[in-house]
Amino acid sequence: MINLRSKSTEDSIHLFAAPVGLGCITIPLLSLVAAVATTTCSLAYENLDRGVIAINCPDGSTILSWRFLSTDLPETSFEVYKVQDGKKTKLTGQPLSKSCNFIDYTTGGTNVDYEVWTIAKGKVVERSKPTYTVKATPTNAFIRIPLAGGYVCDKVGIADIDGDGKLDFVIKQPVSITDPGVWRPSITTFKVEAYSHGGKILWRRDLGWNIEQGVWYSPMIVYDLDGDGRAEVALKTAPVDVDYRDSLGHVLRGPEWLSVLDGLTGAELARVDWPPRGNIEDWGDSTGNRASRNTMSIAYLDGKTPSLIVARGTYTKMIVRAYKFKDRQLTLQWEWDGDNENPPVRGQGMHGMHCADVDGDGRDEIVLGAAALDDNGKLLWNLGMGHPDIVYVTDVLATNPGLEVVYG
């Protein structure tokens, strides 16, 4: 066990690691298997464009930046062209092979645009679309997208929802109760809104009073779940035509759903039941606060395509489900209930979850906090240390093969 101490806050950060045996995993007391072999697999990726952007600076220069895509060959290089007053001029003497940015110090003229040409194996394989140009000032070097109202958004999902290769935005608003450690009634309802890359509002959906406001209560993920080139919106929903709040504002009954929405239109494509509340007090209190600790994530359980991971419970009871979305249907892959383990696994959750290949088999596992599930929904390990607030999964130790889990 390695104990690292923060110099600024004196908060302890604990890192656990243990060896991996052939065909089995050994987990000593308060230790965690985290070795990962190098694997090669074909994951489904977003089909994004080059994302060329040009920023006009106060000194008259223009900074260009663009993406290096996951499909690019290591030897890929780029040429930059300036299109000004109908004339195209090459700005790069030699193709750029060590960066994805360029500064144009030439000035003058109007109707200026830029093109980035992608070179692979000595040939031009792609010419970028017209650039998105931003006029920068000392305090404004970003794209501003006005919201359709005077509110602050609570969450932002970024993905390509219309299939044009550009990143769009799905927000949930207004900003909610920051930390519902002590339950408080909702003061309004959550709304979900989608905006195009250029800032046009595409749709708005009111989630209603049965989705209580709270940072942990109503997760939302924007992701291309079925590989059709357009991202969907997965989120927790409930009826909007019936109000299930009690006299104090608690929502302790009524249907709860996992819904998948069309990212472009907001129309519901599929719906299944959310992991059930059951007895409210089984989750750790009687107010519904801990029964409403809901989380979601994306895992590549087969090493190739995304699955939607849905969970309820952090401090006591814990239930996790995995779904595959295809042909406008959500299909349950497996369900794990910590109470069905021997001994039961309770109170090991964090405020979210991490999905990563921690055993080197090319498929993602789910780190729930102080416990983890294998890609098949079976318990992989349980530290039994209780609820951790801070959890990171990354390669911290260069001398230890694979990933480690850091707790703070």
Side-chain angles (χ1 to χ4, degrees):
M1 182 180 71
I2 298 176
N3 188 334
L4 305 177
R5 187 170 294 276
S6 167
K7 294 181 180 179
S8 59
T9 64
E10 295 299 305
D11 290 334
S12 294
I13 299 176
H14 305 281
L15 184 148
F16 303 100
V20 176
L22 181 62
C24 66
I25 297 176
T26 304
I27 308 178
L29 181 64
L30 285 184
S31 63
L32 170 64
V33 173
V36 179
T38 301
T39 59
T40 301
C41 55
S42 178
L43 299 179
Y45 291 103
E46 288 182 301
N47 186 27
L48 298 179
D49 65 12
R50 191 60 62 181
V52 180
I53 188 169
I55 300 177
N56 296 329
C57 299
D59 65 358
S61 65
T62 300
I63 299 175
L64 285 87
S65 180
W66 57 91
R67 297 187 182 105
F68 192 93
L69 303 176
S70 61
T71 53
D72 288 336
L73 298 174
E75 63 271 20
T76 296
S77 58
F78 305 95
E79 293 178 344
V80 178
Y81 289 81
K82 183 175 186 176
V83 183
Q84 183 174 358
D85 299 326
K87 181 181 179 181
K88 182 179 295 186
T89 304
K90 183 179 178 181
L91 300 181
T92 48
Q94 295 294 326
L96 304 175
S97 59
K98 296 183 179 180
S99 69
C100 288
N101 51 69
F102 181 82
I103 301 178
D104 176 19
Y105 291 102
T106 64
T107 59
T110 58
N111 300 320
V112 177
D113 205 349
Y114 294 90
E115 294 180 6
V116 174
W117 293 15
T118 305
I119 312 297
K121 297 182 178 180
K123 297 181 179 180
V124 177
V125 296
E126 179 192 49
R127 299 182 184 184
S128 70
K129 297 177 182 179
T131 54
Y132 195 108
T133 303
V134 178
K135 185 174 179 58
T137 68
T139 59
N140 177 24
F142 51 84
I143 300 172
R144 185 185 299 273
I145 297 180
L147 300 178
Y151 43 75
V152 177
C153 61
D154 182 74
K155 287 183 173 64
V156 180
I158 302 175
D160 180 8
I161 62 177
D162 56 11
D164 66 353
K166 300 182 184 299
L167 292 174
D168 309 297
F169 312 94
V170 179
I171 74 165
K172 186 171 69 174
Q173 57 90 359
V175 66
S176 70
I177 301 166
T178 303
D179 187 355
V182 177
W183 179 88
R184 284 162 283 183
S186 300
I187 58 176
T188 185
T189 60
F190 275 137
K191 289 86 176 173
V192 177
E193 299 173 351
Y195 293 81
S196 70
H197 181 80
K200 178 183 178 181
I201 185 168
L202 302 175
W203 53 267
R204 173 184 290 169
R205 186 184 186 97
D206 194 321
L207 298 186
W209 287 106
N210 297 317
I211 296 296
E212 292 191 74
Q213 289 192 312
V215 67
W216 316 120
Y217 293 172
S218 56
M220 179 185 77
I221 285 181
V222 186
Y223 205 87
D224 186 0
L225 299 171
D226 57 3
D228 66 351
R230 295 198 299 113
E232 291 78 32
V233 181
L235 72 171
K236 183 174 180 285
T237 61
V240 296
D241 54 351
V242 179
D243 189 345
Y244 287 101
R245 289 177 297 169
D246 64 17
S247 59
L248 297 177
H250 301 100
V251 180
L252 305 178
R253 62 189 182 92
E256 300 172 289
W257 303 311
L258 164 63
S259 293
V260 175
L261 311 182
D262 186 305
L264 183 59
T265 67
E268 187 177 59
L269 302 177
R271 176 199 296 176
V272 293
D273 289 338
W274 196 266
R277 296 186 189 94
N279 182 4
I280 294 296
E281 295 184 356
D282 285 347
W283 305 95
D285 62 27
S286 59
T287 66
N289 175 29
R290 293 190 170 184
S292 298
R293 297 306 178 101
N294 302 296
T295 55
M296 294 173 61
S297 190
I298 297 293
Y300 284 74
L301 299 177
D302 60 1
K304 297 179 180 180
T305 57
S307 293
L308 192 58
I309 310 299
V310 178
R312 170 176 239 136
T314 298
Y315 295 99
T316 47
K317 187 174 176 63
M318 302 171 67
I319 296 178
V320 183
R321 290 176 177 175
Y323 289 95
K324 185 70 72 175
F325 177 71
K326 188 174 179 61
D327 298 328
R328 296 195 170 197
Q329 292 185 332
L330 282 164
T331 302
L332 180 67
Q333 295 175 271
W334 48 256
E335 176 180 293
W336 176 82
D337 187 332
D339 282 1
N340 293 333
E341 297 291 340
N342 186 18
V345 177
R346 283 192 157 212
Q348 305 301 311
M350 63 177 178
H351 299 299
M353 65 179 82
H354 292 303
C355 297
D357 180 11
V358 301
D359 60 7
D361 63 356
R363 300 184 294 271
D364 281 346
E365 285 71 46
I366 299 100
V367 178
L368 300 174
L373 304 181
D374 207 347
D375 56 83
N376 59 6
K378 305 296 183 182
L379 182 67
L380 186 63
W381 45 259
N382 175 29
L383 298 182
M385 61 185 284
H387 158 66
D389 267 322
I390 301 172
V391 182
Y392 296 98
V393 180
T394 187
D395 190 2
V396 177
L397 299 178
T399 57
N400 184 67
L403 303 178
E404 293 80 45
V405 180
V406 182
Y407 296 96

